Amino acid sequence: HVEDDVATTSSSTCVVVDTGVVTCWGDNFYGQLGDGTYIAHTSALPATQVRAASAIVSGGESYCATTVVGVLECWGDDYYGQLGDGTLNDSLAPVQVQGLTGVAAIAAGRDFSLALKNDGTVWAWGYNGNGALGLGDATNRSSIELVRIAQRRVVDISSYGLSSEQGLVFLLDDGQVLADELQREERAVAGEQPDHGEHVQPEDRHETVARGADDAGERQEVGDGGGVHHHEAGADDLRARERPRHGDEIGDDGRRT
């Protein structure tokens, strides 16, 4: 028997029902309903391909659900690699997080995700522009990476905060709670500066970044003083969408403002 679980974004909702099926409704601008379309729905419809789900989390405008066999399926917005499939391609249907099995618990922040495996290790991916993933740098990840916690065993995970003030929280097997924000503060006191990689700095809101092309087409950000626009060439419908920097809020309509 699977217990009901629910997750929400600013404009959509997905629920794991007791049969293990995921149903979603609301805005679908990024494919976050997982039904293979961009069509919004006012009533619950099943996310395609997800079966035997046991838990679900949301991060930004994407969802991830773990199954009873310990694998993780994610869908929706993938601008920062938060789907964990090694690409930056949004997905209208669930895709499996690559290289991740034996998942015991999952959590998510805005545009990043993390998973706790049965062996006590923690893996993270997605937005890392502010060092939120605790990996010792500020480079985004589109594939999972081990969060090193000095030989400590983690028994539960969570995340906190929003945008530039977010991070990971770990419950250790001895009852201690560890937040990766402490690691960043210690590096700052020591005078260490992370490599910001692709992170857009607050003073450079409309930085132009050209990303590589693959079978799904080319993705670019173009700053014109009015916002950052995202393009996916070769898609069935060419979709342009606003991409402000992290730190901007999400409006009532689900778009970043």
Side-chain angles (χ1 to χ4, degrees):
H1 178 73
V2 175
E3 297 293 335
D4 291 358
D5 196 15
V6 60
T8 64
T9 70
S10 62
S11 58
S12 63
T13 301
C14 286
V15 175
V16 178
V17 299
D18 59 6
T19 59
V21 172
V22 175
T23 61
C24 304
W25 64 93
D27 183 36
N28 202 18
F29 191 80
Y30 299 94
Q32 62 264 45
L33 301 189
D35 66 345
T37 76
Y38 287 114
I39 301 171
H41 296 288
T42 57
S43 58
L45 290 177
T48 61
Q49 303 175 17
V50 179
R51 298 292 183 271
S54 56
I56 191 167
V57 294
S58 61
E61 295 300 330
S62 62
Y63 290 93
C64 289
T66 187
T67 71
V68 294
V69 295
V71 298
L72 197 58
E73 304 274 352
C74 300
W75 61 95
D77 188 11
D78 194 30
Y79 191 71
Y80 296 100
Q82 59 264 43
L83 300 189
D85 65 345
T87 77
L88 299 176
N89 301 323
D90 298 351
S91 182
L92 309 184
V95 293
Q96 187 170 331
V97 176
Q98 296 300 302
L100 189 64
T101 58
V103 176
I106 52 176
R110 178 172 168 183
D111 299 324
F112 71 82
S113 305
L114 62 153
L116 171 65
K117 295 182 61 172
N118 290 322
D119 62 6
T121 59
V122 176
W123 301 77
W125 61 97
Y127 178 73
N128 191 36
N130 62 339
L133 302 184
L135 299 174
D137 58 41
T139 302
N140 302 331
R141 303 296 202 278
S142 62
S143 299
I144 65 171
E145 188 159 332
L146 177 66
V147 180
R148 301 187 183 280
I149 316 176
Q151 307 299 318
R152 310 295 292 276
R153 182 178 178 85
V154 179
V155 296
D156 204 359
I157 55 175
S158 186
S159 64
Y160 67 89
L162 180 66
S163 192
S164 61
E165 300 297 330
Q166 62 182 352
L168 315 182
V169 180
F170 314 109
L171 176 62
L172 305 180
D173 57 0
D174 60 3
Q176 294 188 63
V177 175
L178 177 66
D180 75 322
E181 174 68 28
L182 300 177
Q183 301 170 22
R184 293 200 297 278
E185 290 176 355
E186 289 169 357
R187 291 199 302 272
V189 169
E192 299 178 18
Q193 297 296 324
D195 178 6
H196 286 279
E198 293 184 354
H199 180 44
V200 179
Q201 300 300 315
E203 65 274 11
D204 192 11
R205 173 176 184 144
H206 303 302
E207 180 180 49
T208 299
V209 179
R211 302 184 185 274
D214 55 22
D215 292 341
E218 184 177 2
R219 174 179 292 213
Q220 294 181 331
E221 288 180 339
V222 180
D224 59 4
V228 180
H229 298 276
H230 168 218
H231 303 276
E232 289 186 5
D236 291 339
D237 58 338
L238 187 63
R239 300 171 59 78
R241 36 186 162 162
E242 192 172 312
R243 289 292 187 177
R245 65 175 173 85
H246 252 251
D248 292 349
E249 298 304 322
I250 298 177
D252 293 337
D253 61 356
R255 311 294 190 265
R256 294 188 175 94
T257 60

